[in-house]
Amino acid sequence: MGRGYLTKEMKILVTGGAGFIGSSFVRCFMEKRQNPVVTLDSLTYAGNMANLEAVLGLPRHTFVKGDICDPSAVDFAMKGVGAVVHFAAETHVDRSIDDSGIFLRTNVVGTGVLLDAARRHNVKKFVHVSTDEVYGAVLEGYSTEGGHLHPNSPYSASKAASDLLALSYHATYGLPVVVTRCSNNFGPYQFPEKLIPLFISNALEDKPLPVYGDGLYVRDWIYVDDHSRAVDRVLWDGRAGEVYNIGGTKDKANLEITDFILNKLGKPASLKKHVQDRPGHDRRYAMDSSKIEKELGWRAECNFEEALAQTIEWYRSNQGWWRTIKSGEYRNYYEKFFAGRLAGSSAGSVN
Ligand code: NAD
Ligand code: DAU
């Protein structure tokens, strides 16, 4: 029995389980726990049934294709559910800069639909998965849970709004909500628009690696399964109404990541191409995870260099997975986006 009265028989609803982190969570959770799992995912460009291959044949797993903004689909998926782990979101910062509307719809309205349904279904725990980006740039020191929210992109602003909405359901209705805020994830099955899978796959294709601005932006990297293990700890024992930071304590500049990838793949430095910066680009994120470490006994276990080397190897030996994505509908979108970056002149504003 965990805080919030979860039991090992309870059915768990995972939203966004066909995405990168959601599918890692479903795999890790089902390997460790006996609970039945329902995955609810609308299969946007980022959702991929191949990510769930490991669990699709299991009788304890059910997949429901549906939109979190659709109350009837959510009601259907939430029947008999004891706890919700909410990953579903629009997640790419560059896309949010191009078009914020879908970010507001999915991340804010969709979270609201889920919270209302969770009240009706009397769920015992609602884990809202959020991001370190809600704190904004941290030029020195580390973000703590009590820190100010200062989101700088439409993506992070939509996540901050959804965090506050989720926490308001605890304060107002007593819904047992817990919010997690994690740093940058990497690992297998990450959509190849994000830095690490984009750069690995471009290097494998001998295509340029588009480094935004000076490349000295810092992110706090965490291996995806470490994040999933942290969410599992929060699901069972996290205190309702609380926020838990989850960080990898591996602050790295983008150019360090780029060089690591090129070296591992034996590709030349000439593939690096500095392009127009991302507008409103946050200079550095860095997380203080001491709360979850002290309270729930979690800490990141994976060695960063080993996990990144294994991740590079995964993309090298699973080329069918990302080549299918890169040669499909996504190709037109990305080529247009990339051409814009190349054509752009001086750097955008930096936070
Ligand atoms: P992703 O883009 O890989 O996957 C998102 C999933 O949500 C996809 O399967 C997609 O089909 C689904 N989805 C999108 N809109 C939906 C809708 N309206 N209804 C149902 N399903 C929908 O994202 P990710 O990187 O796995 O991120 C998962 C969560 O973790 C997000 O909430 C994100 O904000 C958070 N997060 C991500 C990171 C990171 O580094 N990637 C770090 C911290 C927190
Ligand atoms: O910090 C957690 C967040 O990490 C999550 O909440 C987001 O969902 C996730 O997308 C990620 O956001 P970032 O913007 O940090 O990730 P991204 O991979 O897009 O970029 C990482 C860094 O690399 C950032 O400084 C921008 C830079 N970059 C990115 C791309 C795609 C480049 O230099 N070139 C690129 O082509």
Side-chain angles (χ1 to χ4, degrees), residues 22-327:
S23 66
S24 155
F25 177 81
V26 172
R27 282 192 302 277
C28 294
F29 183 82
M30 295 201 75
E31 206 175 292
K32 185 170 174 194
R33 311 280 183 194
Q34 290 312 305
N35 303 64
V37 170
V38 179
T39 299
L40 172 66
D41 199 297
S42 62
L43 299 178
T44 66
Y45 78 94
N48 189 339
M49 291 305 280
N51 299 1
L52 286 169
E53 216 176 353
V55 298
L56 284 180
L58 300 179
R60 280 190 296 128
H61 181 261
T62 311
F63 181 80
V64 176
K65 184 173 187 296
D67 185 340
I68 59 164
C69 301
D70 173 358
S72 57
V74 168
D75 248 341
F76 175 78
M78 224 182 265
K79 273 203 185 84
V81 159
V84 176
V85 186
H86 174 35
F87 292 95
E90 288 294 332
T91 62
H92 193 39
V93 173
D94 292 325
R95 286 181 187 255
S96 80
I97 294 167
D98 281 353
D99 182 4
S100 62
I102 184 78
F103 285 74
L104 302 182
R105 179 184 182 273
T106 298
N107 300 358
V108 186
V109 176
T111 299
V113 170
L114 284 166
L115 290 164
D116 282 334
R119 285 186 64 212
R120 284 195 302 277
H121 290 267
N122 193 25
V123 305
K124 304 296 180 230
K125 199 67 151 293
F126 188 109
V127 181
H128 174 70
V129 178
S130 189
T131 169
D132 61 355
E133 300 209 4
V134 298
Y135 297 116
V138 191
L139 296 185
E140 52 190 36
Y142 296 88
S143 300
T144 55
E145 289 83 353
H148 288 299
L149 301 189
H150 197 300
N152 288 309
S153 72
Y155 161 69
S156 53
S158 70
K159 291 297 290 189
S162 64
D163 289 18
L164 297 180
L165 186 64
L167 289 169
S168 81
Y169 271 59
H170 174 256
T172 307
Y173 306 113
L175 189 69
V177 169
V178 192
V179 172
T180 62
R181 294 187 180 137
C182 190
S183 60
N184 280 66
N185 286 223
F186 67 98
Y189 301 107
Q190 186 169 27
F191 195 87
E193 63 188 348
K194 309 280 165 56
L195 178 80
I196 289 182
L198 176 71
F199 279 20
I200 299 171
S201 58
N202 277 15
L204 286 165
E205 295 182 289
D206 294 307
K207 286 185 176 165
L209 276 46
V211 177
Y212 295 170
D214 62 9
L216 297 178
Y217 294 85
V218 172
R219 297 292 182 265
D220 171 357
W221 293 96
I222 182 171
Y223 186 64
V224 63
D225 291 356
D226 269 338
H227 182 189
S228 294
R229 280 189 281 270
V231 172
D232 177 73
R233 290 295 301 117
V234 169
L235 172 64
W236 291 92
D237 289 324
R239 285 181 294 136
E242 294 291 318
V243 176
Y244 293 90
N245 282 354
I246 303 168
T249 61
K250 264 299 167 193
D251 307 1
K252 293 274 176 204
N254 296 336
L255 278 176
E256 292 178 79
I257 301 281
T258 311
D259 290 337
F260 188 99
I261 292 170
L262 289 172
N263 286 338
K264 275 279 167 224
L265 292 173
K267 298 287 181 179
S270 56
L271 284 181
K272 269 186 279 187
K273 180 144 195 76
H274 287 266
V275 298
Q276 187 191 17
D277 211 344
R278 172 185 281 173
H281 199 170
D282 284 331
R283 193 62 165 168
R284 174 176 177 264
Y285 300 134
M287 293 285 263
D288 178 337
S289 311
S290 50
K291 179 174 173 179
I292 189 171
E293 289 175 5
K294 284 192 197 123
E295 230 182 78
L296 303 182
W298 172 90
R299 66 180 59 244
E301 286 169 17
C302 295
N303 170 280
F304 172 76
E305 282 77 15
E306 279 170 26
L308 184 53
Q310 279 165 19
T311 299
I312 293 168
E313 181 50 32
W314 187 88
Y315 286 91
R316 209 186 55 75
S317 36
N318 289 275
Q319 299 199 22
W321 182 85
W322 56 264
R323 281 187 192 276
T324 305
I325 295 169
K326 279 186 142 183
S327 60

